[in-house]
Structure formats: C-alpha cells, structure tokens
Amino acid sequence: MSAVFVTTAYGGPEHQQLTTREAPTPQAGEIAIEVRAAGVNPADWKRREGAFGTRGALPLALGLEASGVVTAVGEGVVGFTVGEAVLGAPARGLGAFAEHTVLKAGESVAAPDGVSFADAAALPIAGTTAYDLVHHRPLEAGATVVVLGAGGGVGRMVLQLARLRGLRTIGVASESKRALIEVEGARFVPSDAEVQQQVRELAPDGADLLIDLVGGPALRALSPVAEGPGAIVSAADADTAAEFGGTGRRRGEGTLAKLVALVREGQVDPHVVRTYPLVEAAQALVEVETGHAGGKIVLLP
Ligand SMILES: NC(=O)c1ccc[n+]([C@@H]2O[C@H](COP(=O)([O-])OP(=O)(O)OC[C@H]3O[C@@H](n4cnc5c(N)ncnc54)[C@H](OP(=O)(O)O)[C@@H]3O)[C@@H](O)[C@H]2O)c1
C-alpha cells in the first residue's frame, strides 16, 4: 500500500487525512512515478473547498505538481524510461501528495541533472504559470511590468522571468518581502493604501503589463496603472481582470520544457522556502492558505 493525502469531503481542513491506496498504475499516455517531491499551491486548498466544483469523486487526492522517478510507462508513451527522473502534473486527479502517483506523459518532462527534486516539483504549476504570465503579450525590452503579489511562489519566478526578458519590474508585496523582491532586480512597492500612487511615481507612463497574483480589491485598486486594453493578466482572479479589459492566464505551447531549460541553466530559481514531510501535509497547506509564505512550499514524501 502507498500513502496519499486526501480530502474526504469538500470544505475545510477537518476533512483532510493521510490514508493509503494501491500504488496507481498508468493507463495509455501516462507514466507512474515514485513521488520524490510535490509543490503545494493555493489551488490545493481551493480545490478542497470546492472552488473548482464539487462533482469530483471523493475522497479527492490533493496535489497538482510533482517530481519523482518513473516506475512504469503506459501504452503508447515514448520518451520516458523506468528509473528516469521526471516532473509533471498528476493524471485523473490522482494527486501529488502521495508516495506514488501517475502523471500525464504529455504534460511531463525529464528532470534536468543538477536540479533538486524539490525545485523540480515547483515547476509544473507555479513555474509554468509564471512563464505564461510573463509572456502574455509582446513587449519591448525596457517595458514596465508591475507584479501584484510579487513575493509568493509564482511571483518570485515572475520577477526572474521578466528580468530575463529585459523588462523593468515593479513588485508589490508586504513590507517583509522588500529584500527578496529587490534581490530580483525589481523596484519594491508596499501593498498599502498608497500603492497606486507609489507605483505611479516609479512608472509615470503606467504599466505595459500588470500581472496579478492576488485579485479582488487589491487588483481593483491597482488596475488604473495598467496602460490600455489587454494590459492586465491575472492568475488569481480572471473575472476582476476582465472588468478592466484584462484576462486570465493563457497557457502557452511547450511552456514546461522552456522553463525547465532556464532552470537547468541556473537562470531561474523556484525559491523553495520550506519543505515538509508528507505526514505534515496539513501544516504545509495551512502555511500556503495563510498566504504569506514568501516562496514555494514543497512536500517531500
Ligand atoms: N491559473 C493558474 O493556472 C494558477 C497557477 C498557480 C497559481 N495561481 C494563483 O495565483 C495566485 C498566487 O499563487 P502563489 O502560489 O504565488 O501564492 P502565494 O505563494 O500564496 O503568494 C501570493 C502572494 O500574494 C501576496 N499578497 C496577498 N495579498 C496581497 C495584497 N493585497 N497585495 C499584494 N500582495 C498580496 C502574499 O504575500 P504578502 O501579502 O505577505 O506579500 C503572497 O506573497 C493564487 O491565487 C493562485 O491560486 C493560478
């Protein structure tokens, strides 16, 4: 039997538990892995609460991004071999907070040499989101990007990827994140009542792209700095972005492979700030749900 962290009902954390199941076997187009690390995302507690629907079968295995070692390949899968280190997204809702799971081969790539399993596990969801947001629209080098929620798991990678594109970055976050935002070459603006005015002082012509990782009132307050239609993209709140002519994240082609190449070259660091053993998955989720982690939280089964 193999351990897996599930929720037995849609709702609060009281329904979560570590349980066991048979190690899942891969179907066509899938690869089975022994999980070595799993990234924890806000989407995990949002799924548990039913924010993405409540029709999925229960118990629901949690965890949306993983790295590990291939134990079996399904029919029709080419390019992956047993024993190889890989990273990707779990198939069929089988979850990443587990000792064993199954990944979609088409959404997995080989883990690069020299990159830890923990760093690799931060790439399939958080990393690809950061990449797609930064490449949301064509921008000239020197264009200004404002990042709301710049000090979190996605935000820190957004700052690095924007700098690689030659973009000028302004990161909005709480004061405690100042140093980690400035170290990425960004200008820091605290997320307080004066946020719009302070961004304007640094960018009088406005933002060519406002990347939102917070949504709601914080996005509303900052949206006037976005220059023209299509200058807002949100991973957190597409509906509010749309009120101001923006959109949600659009998935790019081959994003995961492009991002992994940058991580292998040492150009992007996922900034894993804390790891937890699988038996402490509930504590890891609390830290992510609290929303001030300052980087990626990763489970190590
Ligand atoms: N659509 C997708 O595919 C996708 C994928 C991944 C993530 N997401 C979403 O993207 C968002 C960010 O994810 P994440 O993993 O980076 O979460 P995270 O690590 O919790 O980071 C969120 C950041 O927002 C900051 N924040 C909270 N309220 C703020 C405010 N009013 N003003 C400025 N900053 C504020 C938080 O810290 P401080 O306030 O302490 O600075 C934190 O650093 C989440 O909503 C997540 O669900 C979407």
Side-chain angles (χ1 to χ4, degrees):
M1 297 296 275
S2 175
V4 59
F5 188 72
V6 304
T7 185
T8 57
Y10 290 100
E14 66 276 14
H15 304 298
Q16 298 169 167
Q17 60 176 257
L18 195 63
T19 182
T20 58
R21 66 182 176 191
E22 294 288 340
T25 52
Q27 297 180 356
E30 298 175 350
I31 51 179
I33 64 165
E34 183 182 289
V35 178
R36 295 293 174 83
V40 186
N41 288 286
D44 296 316
W45 61 262
K46 292 178 186 177
R47 262 179 92 223
R48 183 200 68 216
E49 292 197 339
F52 306 132
T54 54
R55 290 194 179 168
L58 294 167
L60 177 72
L62 298 176
L64 296 168
E65 57 184 353
S67 62
V69 175
V70 177
T71 56
V73 298
E75 198 187 314
V77 171
V78 288
F80 292 101
T81 53
V82 171
E84 181 182 14
V86 295
L87 56 113
R92 293 179 278 132
L94 286 165
F97 301 168
E99 289 177 320
H100 297 88
T101 194
V102 162
L103 305 180
K104 301 172 211 167
E107 293 181 26
S108 302
V109 298
D113 288 343
V115 174
S116 69
F117 281 110
D119 281 355
L123 304 179
I125 296 291
T128 59
T129 302
Y131 191 98
D132 287 342
L133 294 172
V134 168
H135 294 85
H136 178 71
R137 67 187 315 203
L139 291 172
E140 304 276 336
T144 298
V145 176
V146 174
V147 185
L148 176 60
V154 176
R156 295 188 72 179
M157 284 190 268
V158 163
L159 294 179
Q160 296 170 65
L161 288 158
R163 185 151 85 155
L164 284 174
R165 275 195 76 183
L167 305 173
R168 180 172 168 257
T169 47
I170 298 172
V172 179
S174 55
E175 185 64 42
S176 63
K177 309 277 169 64
R178 177 186 287 272
L180 61 83
I181 282 167
E182 289 180 345
V183 84
E184 308 294 5
R187 300 295 298 271
F188 171 78
V189 170
S191 46
D192 58 25
E194 308 298 319
V195 60
Q196 190 196 140
Q197 183 189 328
Q198 292 195 54
V199 169
R200 282 265 178 224
E201 281 167 17
L202 294 174
D205 295 332
D208 300 293
L209 182 61
L210 169 56
I211 293 178
D212 168 54
L213 300 165
V214 178
L219 173 56
R220 284 203 176 83
L222 202 52
S223 60
V225 307
E227 272 305 305
I232 300 178
V233 61
S234 177
D237 186 353
D239 290 343
T240 301
E243 289 174 25
F244 301 96
T247 63
R249 169 207 180 183
R250 285 195 293 262
R251 285 170 196 274
E253 279 288 312
T255 294
L256 185 58
K258 291 178 206 166
L259 175 67
V260 166
L262 293 173
V263 175
R264 185 182 53 231
E265 291 162 10
Q267 303 211 59
V268 174
D269 178 350
H271 289 301
V272 175
V273 290
R274 216 148 3 267
T275 62
Y276 290 83
L278 182 58
V279 292
E280 292 176 16
Q283 289 94 312
L285 269 172
V286 166
E287 184 166 8
V288 170
E289 191 163 352
T290 307
H292 302 287
K296 280 298 295 182
I297 305 296
V298 168
L299 289 178
L300 300 176

